[in-house]
Amino acid sequence: MVYSDHFKGMEKGFDVHQAVAEANRCLLCHDPPCSRGCPGGTDPGTFIRKLRLRNITGAIRTIKQNNILGGSCSVLCPTARLCEGECCATDIDRPIQIGRIQRFLVEQSWIQDVKFFEKGEARAGKVAVVGSGPAGLSCAAEVAKGGYQVTVFESRSEVGGVLRYGVPSHRLSTTILENDLRSLRELGVEFRCDSPVQGDGAAEDLLNQGFDAVFLAPGLWKPIRLKEEDIEGVFTATDFLSSMREKKLDGLAPFFSGKDVAVIGGGSVAIDCVESALELGARDVYLVYRRSFTQMPAEEDETLSALRAGIHFLLLNQPVDYVTENDTLKGIRLARTQLGEKDASGRRRPVEIPGSEWVLAIDAVIEAIGSRAANDSPQWYPSVKVNSKNLVEVDRETGATSTKGIFAGGDIINGPALVIDAIRDGKVAATAIKGYLETLEVSK
Ligand SMILES: Cc1cc2nc3c(=O)[nH]c(=O)nc-3n(C[C@H](O)[C@H](O)[C@H](O)COP(=O)(O)OP(=O)(O)OC[C@H]3O[C@@H](n4cnc5c(N)ncnc54)[C@H](O)[C@@H]3O)c2cc1C
């Protein structure tokens, strides 16, 4: 068995017989809790019912009209705690595998090349979207469906945000992402890659350059660091996963192949990193987390996979410092912790045990301890109100910021969240933007 056998990866999708058989297990609840379990408004109750009646096109339409990234969500959503977590069949047997049914249906739409979208009748109104992650893409699609002209500005050379440059390719293949993007291209959305919106007031300037509304969706790309200084052998999760995704492996292989690696953090991103370190041929991989196993924010199936893959869990240990020689990493100084009183997150706080420090000899470290808004972000939208963490403040019903004509969504308003949360925000703001553009049309 190789390491990859232990991780979920991109399981093969259902074939038609498996999908129908799984749909046939559905209890056809009157007010399906699975549909209420999706933050993005996906309606498994309806698409599963349609599939049972062999109305495959109708089932696909239900998914795609709600969610332009239905393929990506079918493999990335933590369904066990969303739609499948609400499934009534759980009490009798096991939950319906909604994610895999959705994946089958979306893949059918690509195989059959079914087109669900046409650009609506052209209307006066131009919208700039900043950032091509799930929030930006979902907003762009909804606004374009209304017949408005949409331009997406993306600082990187390709579209997709975390879906392209964060999530490892064995969890989301480029093929799925590209197929999802086809629908956006059909809608006539214009993508300007390698085009960062930057400099003083650059977002507000878009409103002076002929755009009637702006949607900010730049995500969180500034890694939180243990130490700011450059040490050879220390990587941020953002840079590491991005290099993996872009196959820039020359700079990584010497630190990982046959080497001992520590990943700091207990979330899903940390698990992506341990998995990718194993993929690069690391010998021993340690996951360093300052709280306990049950407090880890990563999904349960992810942590169990990591355990089965032989990852060494260094729980109740927190990093204190790096041990270096000539700016090259030699080890990591850890302190043992014990759990104290509950903190604001509702979890018991890790408290360092005095005198418990020890050194783990290590060749490479990946810091996966979170990310935040880039330092310069308030500078390129200075009139927009942000909170103490530099997250943009919006009206949750509309995505409207404190500046007229500027809307926002995704991680930049939520902090680190889910793909489906970003998709929901994009749709919420798109509805408000279309309403706003109509008022502009009337007053012209
Ligand atoms: C490694 C990793 C794995 C994850 N796995 C999952 C998962 O399995 N399931 C799940 O539901 N969620 C997952 N998430 C979370 C999810 O990916 C994010 O919540 C989601 O991508 C946020 O979408 P967004 O559109 O707000 O931002 P992003 O996806 O971050 O996209 C923002 C885009 O804006 C661009 N940008 C930034 N600044 C500018 C600028 N000034 N001008 C132009 N463009 C700019 C960026 O280059 C980027 O392309 C994961 C996150 C990470 C980091």
Side-chain angles (χ1 to χ4, degrees):
M1 196 176 259
V2 294
Y3 85 89
S4 52
D5 293 336
H6 297 283
F7 290 99
K8 193 165 147 215
M10 279 199 40
E11 292 163 324
K12 201 171 164 323
F14 278 149
D15 62 28
V16 64
H17 305 292
Q18 292 166 319
V20 171
E22 191 64 9
N24 282 341
R25 291 180 52 240
C26 176
L27 301 177
L28 302 178
C29 304
H30 166 62
D31 180 16
C34 56
S35 299
R36 283 185 268 120
C38 178
T42 309
D43 186 2
T46 299
F47 71 70
I48 290 177
R49 199 177 286 264
K50 288 182 178 172
L51 176 59
R52 275 173 74 137
L53 297 170
R54 308 295 188 274
N55 176 5
I56 291 188
T57 310
I60 301 168
R61 184 175 289 114
T62 301
I63 296 168
K64 299 271 286 187
Q65 280 183 341
N66 174 64
N67 179 357
I68 198 82
L69 298 174
S72 303
C73 281
S74 74
V75 291
L76 288 183
C77 276
T79 47
R81 68 175 162 97
L82 298 176
C83 51
E84 292 173 16
E86 299 293 325
C87 177
C88 289
T90 312
D91 298 331
I92 302 164
D93 182 5
R94 58 193 158 79
I96 309 297
Q97 296 182 64
I98 297 169
R100 293 186 78 184
I101 294 179
Q102 174 163 328
R103 178 163 168 205
F104 160 76
L105 288 166
V106 177
E107 283 181 342
Q108 282 304 304
S109 76
W110 299 330
I111 293 165
Q112 295 172 16
D113 202 17
V114 192
K115 289 192 176 52
F116 289 102
F117 306 114
E118 275 177 32
K119 199 168 164 53
E121 198 181 320
R123 305 185 68 158
K126 284 172 70 181
V127 176
V129 171
V130 184
S132 70
L137 294 175
S138 132
C139 179
E142 291 305 315
V143 173
K145 281 187 213 167
Y148 298 102
Q149 236 178 297
V150 184
T151 306
V152 179
F153 293 87
E154 170 53 55
S155 50
R156 295 215 177 212
S157 50
E158 289 190 81
V159 171
V162 172
L163 304 184
R164 169 96 57 186
Y165 292 103
V167 179
S169 54
H170 55 260
R171 283 212 298 121
L172 176 70
S173 73
T174 309
T175 314
I176 291 201
L177 177 59
E178 284 299 340
N179 276 321
D180 271 344
L181 291 173
R182 258 162 52 190
S183 305
L184 279 126
R185 300 192 206 281
E186 276 160 28
L187 283 165
V189 172
E190 183 196 357
F191 290 107
R192 290 196 201 160
C193 289
D194 296 314
S195 304
V197 172
Q198 61 189 2
D200 286 349
E204 284 89 342
D205 279 351
L206 291 168
L207 292 174
N208 305 322
Q209 290 164 13
F211 290 102
D212 301 295
V214 174
F215 180 64
L216 301 177
L220 304 172
W221 286 83
K222 172 97 181 147
I224 296 172
R225 300 295 315 270
L226 188 62
K227 284 190 93 177
E228 283 299 337
E229 67 202 68
D230 279 342
I231 298 173
E232 205 151 280
V234 177
F235 300 83
T236 65
T238 311
D239 290 344
F240 173 73
L241 292 172
S242 202
S243 299
M244 287 293 287
R245 202 62 212 242
E246 292 178 278
K247 304 223 174 319
K248 293 180 180 162
L249 303 182
D250 290 353
L252 299 181
F255 296 96
F256 290 88
S257 181
K259 301 291 167 91
D260 295 340
V261 177
V263 174
I264 304 172
S268 299
V269 176
I271 303 289
D272 277 343
C273 292
V274 297
E275 209 174 327
S276 301
L278 288 177
E279 192 181 333
L280 284 172
R283 187 177 65 166
D284 279 319
V285 180
Y286 297 85
L287 190 86
V288 178
Y289 183 54
R290 63 200 175 123
R291 298 177 193 254
S292 66
F293 186 77
T294 50
Q295 290 178 316
M296 289 180 72
E299 305 295 330
E300 191 185 1
D301 59 343
E302 296 170 335
T303 47
L304 292 177
S305 305
L307 262 181
R308 280 195 291 270
I311 301 299
H312 310 300
F313 279 62
L314 286 178
L315 301 168
L316 295 169
N317 267 282
Q318 74 181 15
V320 177
D321 204 354
Y322 293 122
V323 180
T324 59
E325 234 175 70
N326 303 325
D327 293 331
T328 301
L329 183 74
K330 292 290 166 200
I332 175 170
R333 189 179 303 283
L334 301 169
R336 295 188 213 283
T337 60
Q338 60 187 20
L339 297 177
E341 295 305 312
K342 283 188 180 169
D343 63 14
S345 73
R347 295 173 301 169
R348 288 176 63 199
R349 185 193 304 277
V351 182
E352 198 172 308
I353 301 172
S356 67
E357 286 187 14
W358 63 288
V359 173
L360 172 73
I362 211 83
D363 301 300
V365 163
I366 306 168
E367 296 176 351
I369 47 180
S371 52
R372 52 186 163 87
N375 285 348
D376 69 342
S377 46
Q379 188 197 336
W380 57 270
Y381 41 85
S383 67
V384 172
K385 213 168 153 194
V386 296
N387 68 15
S388 58
K389 293 180 172 168
N390 273 353
L391 298 179
V392 172
E393 292 190 354
V394 296
D395 171 352
R396 291 279 163 174
E397 302 282 304
T398 61
T401 69
S402 54
T403 302
K404 196 170 167 213
I406 300 189
F407 299 76
D411 281 1
I412 196 64
I413 68 166
N414 302 317
L418 296 176
V419 172
I420 193 69
D421 293 316
I423 289 168
R424 174 207 53 217
D425 292 346
K427 289 196 302 179
V428 165
T431 304
I433 290 171
K434 285 187 281 185
Y436 175 71
L437 295 177
E438 270 171 30
T439 62
L440 292 184
E441 257 179 71
V442 171
S443 60
K444 265 180 195 166

